[in-house]
Every structure is written in C-alpha cells, then in structure tokens.
Amino acid sequence: MAARILVDADSCPQRVRKYLLARAKKNPFELYFVANKEIKADDKAPAPANFKMIVCPKEEQAADNWILQNAKEGDLAITRDIPLAAALLQKNIRVLNDLGKIFDKKNIERALKERELNMQMSQLGLGTKKRDTYGQKEFELFAETFNTEIQKILN
C-alpha cells in the first residue's frame, strides 16, 4: 500500500501546498488536496501523477468529513482543524499542522480546551490570539517535521 498524505487544503498556506507538490514529484506517496473548491496544483508545472484534487460540496465540514471517512491507518493528515485532528487521532492517523506541530493523544486534549476557551472568549467579545503571518520560520518548521514524518511512513 502506498503512503498517502491527506491535506485539508482550504486553509493550508499556498507555500505548504507547493512544497508538498514538489515532494510528491520525488517521493512514492499519494498526495490528496481536499477542499470545497478547486485548488490548482501549480500554474507553471503539471501536477505530479500521484496528486489528486478532491473537490467536496460547498457544505460546512464537507472536506473534513471526506478526510475523516477516507483516512486509513498509515496515512498522514495535514490540517489546522483541531476537532478534525482529534477525530483522526481516534482512527490512529498521524496528524500534522502547517506550523509543524504533530498532534498526538497527549496534546490534543489541551488543543481542544484552548480552542473552546478561544471560542468562548470570542463570543464574549474578548480578543483572541490570532496567528501572525505565515513566514519562513513557520514554513521551515513545517518542512522539517514533514520530512521526519514522511520518512517514518515510507520506511
């Protein structure tokens, strides 16, 4: 069975998507971008043969549901969606976000609690911590962590 990378592509930074496409050209894994709209692979180069774009209905959670329903043990999912990450972990799927953070059964509970607190604060009109721009530092951490995880899957 070929290794599969399932990307929650709606919210994934373009820089990460381009990186994953470049890696897919050189590595024997299947790369899936899952989103509610077509996301072009790359305007300058054809998509690799092992790339698939899955366009889901424009319904809330449609892309997340597709990933959850189709993920199999041995896959690596890339998402910043904490509830999706938690559900994938229940299926023994490796989960990484675009900042290079690996979610596991130890840290997902804290992430869920932080998310809930942020939502409550937002509903009360209190400011929540927002992500700064996605820069070189964040990308490098993602790339380093992705490389480590993909080696685990491919070996």
Short mmCIF file of all heavy atoms in Angstrom, two decimals, residues 83-145:
data_model
loop_
_atom_site.label_atom_id
_atom_site.label_comp_id
_atom_site.label_asym_id
_atom_site.label_seq_id
_atom_site.Cartn_x
_atom_site.Cartn_y
_atom_site.Cartn_z
N PRO A 83 -10.68 19.87 15.93
CA PRO A 83 -11.62 18.75 16.05
C PRO A 83 -11.37 17.65 15.00
O PRO A 83 -11.49 16.46 15.31
CB PRO A 83 -13.00 19.40 15.86
CG PRO A 83 -12.80 20.82 16.28
CD PRO A 83 -11.40 21.16 15.83
N LEU A 84 -11.01 18.04 13.79
CA LEU A 84 -10.67 17.03 12.77
C LEU A 84 -9.43 16.25 13.21
O LEU A 84 -9.40 15.02 13.10
CB LEU A 84 -10.44 17.69 11.41
CG LEU A 84 -9.96 16.76 10.29
CD1 LEU A 84 -10.95 15.62 10.05
CD2 LEU A 84 -9.71 17.56 9.01
N ALA A 85 -8.43 16.94 13.71
CA ALA A 85 -7.22 16.26 14.18
C ALA A 85 -7.56 15.25 15.28
O ALA A 85 -7.07 14.12 15.27
CB ALA A 85 -6.20 17.28 14.69
N ALA A 86 -8.43 15.65 16.21
CA ALA A 86 -8.82 14.75 17.30
C ALA A 86 -9.53 13.51 16.75
O ALA A 86 -9.24 12.39 17.19
CB ALA A 86 -9.72 15.49 18.29
N ALA A 87 -10.43 13.70 15.81
CA ALA A 87 -11.16 12.57 15.23
C ALA A 87 -10.21 11.65 14.46
O ALA A 87 -10.34 10.41 14.52
CB ALA A 87 -12.27 13.08 14.31
N LEU A 88 -9.24 12.22 13.76
CA LEU A 88 -8.27 11.41 13.02
C LEU A 88 -7.38 10.61 13.97
O LEU A 88 -7.06 9.45 13.69
CB LEU A 88 -7.43 12.29 12.10
CG LEU A 88 -8.17 12.85 10.89
CD1 LEU A 88 -7.38 14.00 10.27
CD2 LEU A 88 -8.46 11.77 9.87
N LEU A 89 -7.00 11.23 15.06
CA LEU A 89 -6.18 10.51 16.05
C LEU A 89 -6.92 9.29 16.60
O LEU A 89 -6.30 8.26 16.89
CB LEU A 89 -5.76 11.44 17.18
CG LEU A 89 -4.69 12.46 16.82
CD1 LEU A 89 -4.52 13.47 17.95
CD2 LEU A 89 -3.37 11.78 16.48
N GLN A 90 -8.24 9.40 16.72
CA GLN A 90 -9.03 8.26 17.18
C GLN A 90 -8.95 7.09 16.20
O GLN A 90 -9.14 5.94 16.58
CB GLN A 90 -10.50 8.66 17.39
CG GLN A 90 -10.71 9.60 18.55
CD GLN A 90 -10.32 8.97 19.87
OE1 GLN A 90 -10.66 7.84 20.15
NE2 GLN A 90 -9.60 9.71 20.69
N LYS A 91 -8.65 7.39 14.93
CA LYS A 91 -8.51 6.36 13.90
C LYS A 91 -7.05 5.95 13.71
O LYS A 91 -6.71 5.27 12.76
CB LYS A 91 -9.06 6.86 12.57
CG LYS A 91 -10.56 7.05 12.54
CD LYS A 91 -11.04 7.53 11.19
CE LYS A 91 -10.90 6.45 10.14
NZ LYS A 91 -11.50 6.80 8.84
N ASN A 92 -6.18 6.41 14.61
CA ASN A 92 -4.74 6.13 14.54
C ASN A 92 -4.09 6.68 13.28
O ASN A 92 -3.21 6.05 12.69
CB ASN A 92 -4.46 4.63 14.68
CG ASN A 92 -4.82 4.13 16.05
OD1 ASN A 92 -4.52 4.78 17.05
ND2 ASN A 92 -5.49 3.00 16.11
N ILE A 93 -4.52 7.87 12.88
CA ILE A 93 -3.93 8.57 11.74
C ILE A 93 -2.94 9.59 12.29
O ILE A 93 -3.23 10.28 13.26
CB ILE A 93 -5.02 9.31 10.92
CG1 ILE A 93 -6.18 8.39 10.54
CG2 ILE A 93 -4.42 10.02 9.71
CD1 ILE A 93 -5.83 7.22 9.69
N ARG A 94 -1.77 9.69 11.67
CA ARG A 94 -0.82 10.72 12.06
C ARG A 94 -1.34 12.06 11.59
O ARG A 94 -1.83 12.18 10.47
CB ARG A 94 0.54 10.47 11.41
CG ARG A 94 1.23 9.29 11.98
CD ARG A 94 2.56 9.08 11.32
NE ARG A 94 3.18 7.97 12.01
CZ ARG A 94 4.30 7.42 11.67
NH1 ARG A 94 4.98 7.85 10.64
NH2 ARG A 94 4.79 6.40 12.35
N VAL A 95 -1.20 13.08 12.45
CA VAL A 95 -1.73 14.41 12.12
C VAL A 95 -0.66 15.46 12.41
O VAL A 95 -0.06 15.47 13.47
CB VAL A 95 -3.01 14.71 12.92
CG1 VAL A 95 -3.59 16.06 12.49
CG2 VAL A 95 -4.05 13.61 12.77
N LEU A 96 -0.51 16.35 11.44
CA LEU A 96 0.47 17.43 11.50
C LEU A 96 -0.25 18.71 11.07
O LEU A 96 -1.10 18.67 10.18
CB LEU A 96 1.59 17.09 10.51
CG LEU A 96 2.61 18.13 10.09
CD1 LEU A 96 3.49 18.53 11.26
CD2 LEU A 96 3.47 17.57 8.97
N ASN A 97 0.08 19.84 11.70
CA ASN A 97 -0.50 21.09 11.20
C ASN A 97 0.54 21.83 10.35
O ASN A 97 1.69 21.39 10.23
CB ASN A 97 -1.08 21.96 12.32
CG ASN A 97 -0.05 22.63 13.19
OD1 ASN A 97 1.15 22.63 12.93
ND2 ASN A 97 -0.51 23.23 14.27
N ASP A 98 0.13 22.93 9.74
CA ASP A 98 1.03 23.64 8.83
C ASP A 98 2.11 24.44 9.54
O ASP A 98 2.96 25.06 8.90
CB ASP A 98 0.23 24.55 7.88
CG ASP A 98 -0.64 25.55 8.61
OD1 ASP A 98 -0.37 25.88 9.77
OD2 ASP A 98 -1.61 26.02 8.00
N LEU A 99 2.11 24.40 10.86
CA LEU A 99 3.17 25.03 11.65
C LEU A 99 4.21 24.02 12.11
O LEU A 99 5.15 24.35 12.82
CB LEU A 99 2.57 25.74 12.87
CG LEU A 99 1.62 26.89 12.56
CD1 LEU A 99 0.97 27.39 13.83
CD2 LEU A 99 2.34 28.01 11.83
N GLY A 100 4.03 22.75 11.71
CA GLY A 100 4.98 21.73 12.07
C GLY A 100 4.69 21.04 13.39
O GLY A 100 5.52 20.31 13.91
N LYS A 101 3.51 21.26 13.94
CA LYS A 101 3.14 20.62 15.20
C LYS A 101 2.50 19.26 14.92
O LYS A 101 1.55 19.17 14.15
CB LYS A 101 2.16 21.48 15.98
CG LYS A 101 1.74 20.86 17.30
CD LYS A 101 0.86 21.79 18.10
CE LYS A 101 0.57 21.19 19.45
NZ LYS A 101 -0.01 22.16 20.35
N ILE A 102 3.03 18.24 15.56
CA ILE A 102 2.46 16.91 15.48
C ILE A 102 1.41 16.82 16.58
O ILE A 102 1.69 17.10 17.74
CB ILE A 102 3.53 15.82 15.73
CG1 ILE A 102 4.58 15.84 14.64
CG2 ILE A 102 2.90 14.45 15.86
CD1 ILE A 102 4.16 15.24 13.36
N PHE A 103 0.21 16.43 16.21
CA PHE A 103 -0.82 16.19 17.21
C PHE A 103 -0.74 14.74 17.64
O PHE A 103 -0.50 13.85 16.82
CB PHE A 103 -2.22 16.49 16.66
CG PHE A 103 -2.46 17.95 16.43
CD1 PHE A 103 -2.53 18.45 15.15
CD2 PHE A 103 -2.62 18.82 17.49
CE1 PHE A 103 -2.75 19.80 14.92
CE2 PHE A 103 -2.84 20.17 17.29
CZ PHE A 103 -2.90 20.66 16.00
N ASP A 104 -0.91 14.53 18.94
CA ASP A 104 -0.94 13.17 19.45
C ASP A 104 -2.00 13.10 20.55
O ASP A 104 -2.62 14.11 20.88
CB ASP A 104 0.43 12.71 19.95
CG ASP A 104 1.00 13.59 21.06
OD1 ASP A 104 0.23 14.13 21.88
OD2 ASP A 104 2.23 13.73 21.12
N LYS A 105 -2.19 11.92 21.07
CA LYS A 105 -3.26 11.73 22.06
C LYS A 105 -2.97 12.49 23.35
O LYS A 105 -3.88 12.77 24.12
CB LYS A 105 -3.50 10.25 22.29
CG LYS A 105 -4.10 9.62 21.05
CD LYS A 105 -4.34 8.15 21.18
CE LYS A 105 -4.94 7.65 19.86
NZ LYS A 105 -5.14 6.24 19.80
N LYS A 106 -1.72 12.87 23.57
CA LYS A 106 -1.37 13.63 24.77
C LYS A 106 -1.69 15.11 24.62
O LYS A 106 -2.19 15.73 25.54
CB LYS A 106 0.12 13.45 25.08
CG LYS A 106 0.51 12.06 25.48
CD LYS A 106 2.00 11.96 25.71
CE LYS A 106 2.42 10.53 25.98
NZ LYS A 106 3.87 10.39 26.04
N ASN A 107 -1.37 15.69 23.46
CA ASN A 107 -1.53 17.14 23.34
C ASN A 107 -2.86 17.57 22.71
O ASN A 107 -3.19 18.75 22.73
CB ASN A 107 -0.35 17.77 22.60
CG ASN A 107 -0.25 17.36 21.14
OD1 ASN A 107 -1.18 16.85 20.53
ND2 ASN A 107 0.92 17.57 20.57
N ILE A 108 -3.64 16.64 22.17
CA ILE A 108 -4.88 17.04 21.50
C ILE A 108 -5.92 17.54 22.49
O ILE A 108 -6.68 18.46 22.19
CB ILE A 108 -5.44 15.91 20.60
CG1 ILE A 108 -6.48 16.47 19.63
CG2 ILE A 108 -6.02 14.77 21.43
CD1 ILE A 108 -5.96 17.44 18.62
N GLU A 109 -5.96 16.97 23.69
CA GLU A 109 -6.94 17.42 24.69
C GLU A 109 -6.69 18.88 25.05
O GLU A 109 -7.63 19.66 25.15
CB GLU A 109 -6.90 16.54 25.94
CG GLU A 109 -7.47 15.15 25.72
CD GLU A 109 -8.92 15.16 25.24
OE1 GLU A 109 -9.74 15.95 25.76
OE2 GLU A 109 -9.24 14.38 24.33
N ARG A 110 -5.44 19.23 25.23
CA ARG A 110 -5.11 20.63 25.55
C ARG A 110 -5.49 21.55 24.39
O ARG A 110 -6.05 22.62 24.59
CB ARG A 110 -3.63 20.76 25.87
CG ARG A 110 -3.25 22.18 26.19
CD ARG A 110 -1.78 22.33 26.47
NE ARG A 110 -1.48 23.73 26.64
CZ ARG A 110 -0.69 24.21 27.55
NH1 ARG A 110 -0.10 23.40 28.41
NH2 ARG A 110 -0.46 25.49 27.64
N ALA A 111 -5.21 21.11 23.17
CA ALA A 111 -5.56 21.92 22.00
C ALA A 111 -7.07 22.12 21.89
O ALA A 111 -7.54 23.21 21.56
CB ALA A 111 -5.01 21.26 20.73
N LEU A 112 -7.84 21.07 22.19
CA LEU A 112 -9.31 21.19 22.17
C LEU A 112 -9.80 22.17 23.23
O LEU A 112 -10.69 22.98 22.98
CB LEU A 112 -9.96 19.82 22.37
CG LEU A 112 -9.93 18.88 21.16
CD1 LEU A 112 -10.28 17.47 21.58
CD2 LEU A 112 -10.86 19.38 20.06
N LYS A 113 -9.20 22.10 24.43
CA LYS A 113 -9.59 23.01 25.50
C LYS A 113 -9.24 24.45 25.16
O LYS A 113 -10.02 25.37 25.41
CB LYS A 113 -8.94 22.59 26.82
CG LYS A 113 -9.56 21.33 27.40
CD LYS A 113 -8.85 20.88 28.65
CE LYS A 113 -9.43 19.57 29.14
NZ LYS A 113 -8.69 19.01 30.25
N GLU A 114 -8.05 24.67 24.58
CA GLU A 114 -7.66 26.02 24.17
C GLU A 114 -8.59 26.56 23.09
O GLU A 114 -8.98 27.73 23.12
CB GLU A 114 -6.22 26.02 23.65
CG GLU A 114 -5.18 25.86 24.73
CD GLU A 114 -3.77 25.75 24.18
OE1 GLU A 114 -3.58 25.76 22.94
OE2 GLU A 114 -2.85 25.65 25.00
N ARG A 115 -8.99 25.71 22.17
CA ARG A 115 -9.91 26.11 21.11
C ARG A 115 -11.25 26.51 21.71
O ARG A 115 -11.82 27.54 21.35
CB ARG A 115 -10.10 24.96 20.12
CG ARG A 115 -11.07 25.25 19.01
CD ARG A 115 -11.25 24.02 18.11
NE ARG A 115 -12.21 24.28 17.07
CZ ARG A 115 -13.52 24.12 17.19
NH1 ARG A 115 -14.04 23.70 18.33
NH2 ARG A 115 -14.33 24.38 16.18
N GLU A 116 -11.75 25.71 22.63
CA GLU A 116 -13.03 26.01 23.28
C GLU A 116 -12.96 27.33 24.04
O GLU A 116 -13.87 28.15 23.96
CB GLU A 116 -13.43 24.86 24.22
CG GLU A 116 -14.74 25.07 24.94
CD GLU A 116 -15.95 25.11 24.02
OE1 GLU A 116 -15.91 24.50 22.94
OE2 GLU A 116 -16.93 25.78 24.39
N LEU A 117 -11.89 27.53 24.77
CA LEU A 117 -11.71 28.79 25.51
C LEU A 117 -11.68 29.98 24.56
O LEU A 117 -12.32 31.01 24.81
CB LEU A 117 -10.44 28.74 26.36
CG LEU A 117 -10.11 29.98 27.15
CD1 LEU A 117 -11.21 30.29 28.17
CD2 LEU A 117 -8.76 29.83 27.84
N ASN A 118 -10.94 29.85 23.46
CA ASN A 118 -10.87 30.94 22.48
C ASN A 118 -12.24 31.24 21.88
O ASN A 118 -12.59 32.40 21.67
CB ASN A 118 -9.87 30.60 21.38
CG ASN A 118 -8.44 30.72 21.85
OD1 ASN A 118 -8.14 31.39 22.82
ND2 ASN A 118 -7.55 30.03 21.16
N MET A 119 -13.03 30.20 21.63
CA MET A 119 -14.37 30.40 21.08
C MET A 119 -15.26 31.12 22.09
O MET A 119 -16.02 32.02 21.73
CB MET A 119 -14.98 29.06 20.66
CG MET A 119 -14.35 28.48 19.42
SD MET A 119 -14.95 26.83 19.00
CE MET A 119 -16.66 27.16 18.66
N GLN A 120 -15.17 30.73 23.37
CA GLN A 120 -15.96 31.38 24.41
C GLN A 120 -15.57 32.84 24.56
O GLN A 120 -16.43 33.71 24.70
CB GLN A 120 -15.80 30.64 25.74
CG GLN A 120 -16.49 29.29 25.76
CD GLN A 120 -16.18 28.52 27.04
OE1 GLN A 120 -15.46 28.99 27.92
NE2 GLN A 120 -16.75 27.32 27.14
N MET A 121 -14.28 33.12 24.54
CA MET A 121 -13.82 34.50 24.67
C MET A 121 -14.29 35.33 23.48
O MET A 121 -14.70 36.48 23.65
CB MET A 121 -12.30 34.53 24.78
CG MET A 121 -11.80 33.98 26.12
SD MET A 121 -10.01 33.93 26.25
CE MET A 121 -9.61 35.66 26.18
N SER A 122 -14.27 34.74 22.30
CA SER A 122 -14.73 35.44 21.11
C SER A 122 -16.21 35.76 21.21
O SER A 122 -16.65 36.86 20.85
CB SER A 122 -14.44 34.59 19.88
OG SER A 122 -14.89 35.23 18.72
N GLN A 123 -17.00 34.81 21.71
CA GLN A 123 -18.44 35.04 21.87
C GLN A 123 -18.73 36.15 22.88
O GLN A 123 -19.73 36.84 22.77
CB GLN A 123 -19.14 33.75 22.30
CG GLN A 123 -19.21 32.72 21.19
CD GLN A 123 -19.75 31.38 21.67
OE1 GLN A 123 -19.86 31.13 22.86
NE2 GLN A 123 -20.06 30.52 20.72
N LEU A 124 -17.83 36.32 23.84
CA LEU A 124 -17.99 37.38 24.83
C LEU A 124 -17.45 38.71 24.33
O LEU A 124 -17.51 39.72 25.03
CB LEU A 124 -17.27 36.99 26.13
CG LEU A 124 -17.85 35.80 26.88
CD1 LEU A 124 -16.93 35.39 28.02
CD2 LEU A 124 -19.25 36.13 27.39
N GLY A 125 -16.88 38.69 23.13
CA GLY A 125 -16.34 39.92 22.56
C GLY A 125 -14.94 40.24 23.02
O GLY A 125 -14.45 41.34 22.80
N LEU A 126 -14.31 39.29 23.65
CA LEU A 126 -12.93 39.49 24.10
C LEU A 126 -11.98 39.05 23.00
O LEU A 126 -12.23 38.08 22.29
CB LEU A 126 -12.68 38.68 25.37
CG LEU A 126 -13.60 39.02 26.54
CD1 LEU A 126 -13.36 38.06 27.68
CD2 LEU A 126 -13.37 40.46 27.00
N GLY A 127 -10.90 39.75 22.86
CA GLY A 127 -9.93 39.43 21.82
C GLY A 127 -9.32 38.05 22.01
O GLY A 127 -9.11 37.60 23.13
N THR A 128 -9.11 37.38 20.92
CA THR A 128 -8.43 36.09 20.96
C THR A 128 -7.11 36.22 20.23
O THR A 128 -6.94 37.07 19.36
CB THR A 128 -9.28 34.97 20.32
OG1 THR A 128 -9.56 35.33 18.96
CG2 THR A 128 -10.56 34.76 21.08
N LYS A 129 -6.20 35.36 20.58
CA LYS A 129 -4.89 35.37 19.96
C LYS A 129 -5.02 34.92 18.51
O LYS A 129 -5.51 33.84 18.23
CB LYS A 129 -3.96 34.44 20.74
CG LYS A 129 -2.52 34.47 20.28
CD LYS A 129 -1.67 33.67 21.23
CE LYS A 129 -1.05 32.52 20.49
NZ LYS A 129 -0.19 31.72 21.32
N LYS A 130 -4.60 35.75 17.60
CA LYS A 130 -4.66 35.40 16.18
C LYS A 130 -3.27 35.06 15.69
O LYS A 130 -2.28 35.56 16.19
CB LYS A 130 -5.23 36.56 15.36
CG LYS A 130 -6.67 36.85 15.72
CD LYS A 130 -7.33 37.62 14.65
CE LYS A 130 -8.77 37.81 15.08
NZ LYS A 130 -9.65 38.06 14.03
N ARG A 131 -3.25 34.20 14.68
CA ARG A 131 -1.99 33.78 14.09
C ARG A 131 -1.36 34.93 13.33
O ARG A 131 -2.04 35.65 12.61
CB ARG A 131 -2.26 32.63 13.13
CG ARG A 131 -1.00 32.14 12.46
CD ARG A 131 -1.30 31.17 11.37
NE ARG A 131 -1.71 29.90 11.92
CZ ARG A 131 -1.61 28.77 11.27
NH1 ARG A 131 -1.14 28.75 10.05
NH2 ARG A 131 -2.02 27.65 11.80
N ASP A 132 -0.06 35.09 13.52
CA ASP A 132 0.66 36.07 12.74
C ASP A 132 0.76 35.55 11.31
O ASP A 132 0.32 34.46 11.00
CB ASP A 132 2.06 36.29 13.32
CG ASP A 132 2.02 36.92 14.70
OD1 ASP A 132 1.07 37.66 15.00
OD2 ASP A 132 2.95 36.66 15.48
N THR A 133 1.35 36.33 10.46
CA THR A 133 1.52 35.89 9.08
C THR A 133 2.36 34.62 9.05
O THR A 133 3.15 34.35 9.95
CB THR A 133 2.20 36.98 8.23
OG1 THR A 133 3.46 37.28 8.82
CG2 THR A 133 1.34 38.22 8.14
N TYR A 134 2.18 33.86 8.00
CA TYR A 134 2.91 32.61 7.83
C TYR A 134 4.23 32.94 7.15
O TYR A 134 4.27 33.29 5.98
CB TYR A 134 2.08 31.64 6.98
CG TYR A 134 2.62 30.24 6.99
CD1 TYR A 134 2.25 29.35 7.98
CD2 TYR A 134 3.48 29.80 6.00
CE1 TYR A 134 2.73 28.06 8.00
CE2 TYR A 134 3.97 28.51 6.01
CZ TYR A 134 3.59 27.64 7.01
OH TYR A 134 4.08 26.36 7.03
N GLY A 135 5.31 32.84 7.90
CA GLY A 135 6.61 33.24 7.39
C GLY A 135 7.58 32.09 7.22
O GLY A 135 7.23 30.92 7.33
N GLN A 136 8.81 32.46 6.99
CA GLN A 136 9.88 31.50 6.74
C GLN A 136 10.09 30.56 7.93
O GLN A 136 10.26 29.36 7.76
CB GLN A 136 11.19 32.23 6.40
CG GLN A 136 12.33 31.32 6.02
CD GLN A 136 12.09 30.59 4.71
OE1 GLN A 136 11.33 31.03 3.85
NE2 GLN A 136 12.74 29.45 4.55
N LYS A 137 10.06 31.09 9.12
CA LYS A 137 10.28 30.29 10.32
C LYS A 137 9.21 29.19 10.45
O LYS A 137 9.53 28.03 10.71
CB LYS A 137 10.26 31.20 11.56
CG LYS A 137 10.44 30.49 12.86
CD LYS A 137 10.37 31.50 14.01
CE LYS A 137 10.31 30.80 15.34
NZ LYS A 137 10.11 31.73 16.45
N GLU A 138 7.95 29.57 10.25
CA GLU A 138 6.86 28.60 10.35
C GLU A 138 6.97 27.54 9.25
O GLU A 138 6.79 26.35 9.50
CB GLU A 138 5.50 29.32 10.24
CG GLU A 138 5.17 30.20 11.41
CD GLU A 138 5.82 31.58 11.37
OE1 GLU A 138 6.45 31.95 10.34
OE2 GLU A 138 5.72 32.29 12.37
N PHE A 139 7.30 28.00 8.05
CA PHE A 139 7.44 27.07 6.94
C PHE A 139 8.59 26.08 7.17
O PHE A 139 8.44 24.88 6.92
CB PHE A 139 7.65 27.81 5.62
CG PHE A 139 7.96 26.88 4.49
CD1 PHE A 139 6.97 26.08 3.94
CD2 PHE A 139 9.25 26.77 4.00
CE1 PHE A 139 7.26 25.19 2.92
CE2 PHE A 139 9.55 25.89 2.98
CZ PHE A 139 8.55 25.10 2.43
N GLU A 140 9.71 26.57 7.64
CA GLU A 140 10.86 25.69 7.88
C GLU A 140 10.55 24.63 8.93
O GLU A 140 10.95 23.48 8.80
CB GLU A 140 12.09 26.51 8.27
CG GLU A 140 12.69 27.25 7.11
CD GLU A 140 13.84 28.16 7.49
OE1 GLU A 140 14.22 28.22 8.69
OE2 GLU A 140 14.37 28.83 6.58
N LEU A 141 9.83 25.02 9.97
CA LEU A 141 9.45 24.05 10.99
C LEU A 141 8.50 23.01 10.41
O LEU A 141 8.64 21.81 10.66
CB LEU A 141 8.80 24.75 12.19
CG LEU A 141 8.42 23.85 13.36
CD1 LEU A 141 9.61 23.02 13.85
CD2 LEU A 141 7.85 24.67 14.49
N PHE A 142 7.55 23.46 9.59
CA PHE A 142 6.65 22.51 8.93
C PHE A 142 7.46 21.54 8.06
O PHE A 142 7.28 20.32 8.15
CB PHE A 142 5.61 23.21 8.05
CG PHE A 142 4.92 22.23 7.15
CD1 PHE A 142 3.89 21.44 7.63
CD2 PHE A 142 5.33 22.06 5.84
CE1 PHE A 142 3.29 20.48 6.82
CE2 PHE A 142 4.74 21.12 5.03
CZ PHE A 142 3.72 20.32 5.51
N ALA A 143 8.34 22.07 7.21
CA ALA A 143 9.10 21.23 6.28
C ALA A 143 9.96 20.21 7.03
O ALA A 143 10.01 19.03 6.65
CB ALA A 143 9.97 22.10 5.37
N GLU A 144 10.59 20.64 8.09
CA GLU A 144 11.43 19.73 8.89
C GLU A 144 10.60 18.60 9.50
O GLU A 144 10.96 17.43 9.43
CB GLU A 144 12.14 20.53 9.99
CG GLU A 144 13.04 19.69 10.87
CD GLU A 144 13.69 20.54 11.96
OE1 GLU A 144 14.03 21.71 11.69
OE2 GLU A 144 13.85 20.02 13.07
N THR A 145 9.47 18.97 10.08
CA THR A 145 8.61 17.97 10.70
C THR A 145 8.00 17.05 9.65
O THR A 145 7.93 15.83 9.84
CB THR A 145 7.50 18.65 11.53
OG1 THR A 145 8.11 19.57 12.44
CG2 THR A 145 6.68 17.64 12.30
#
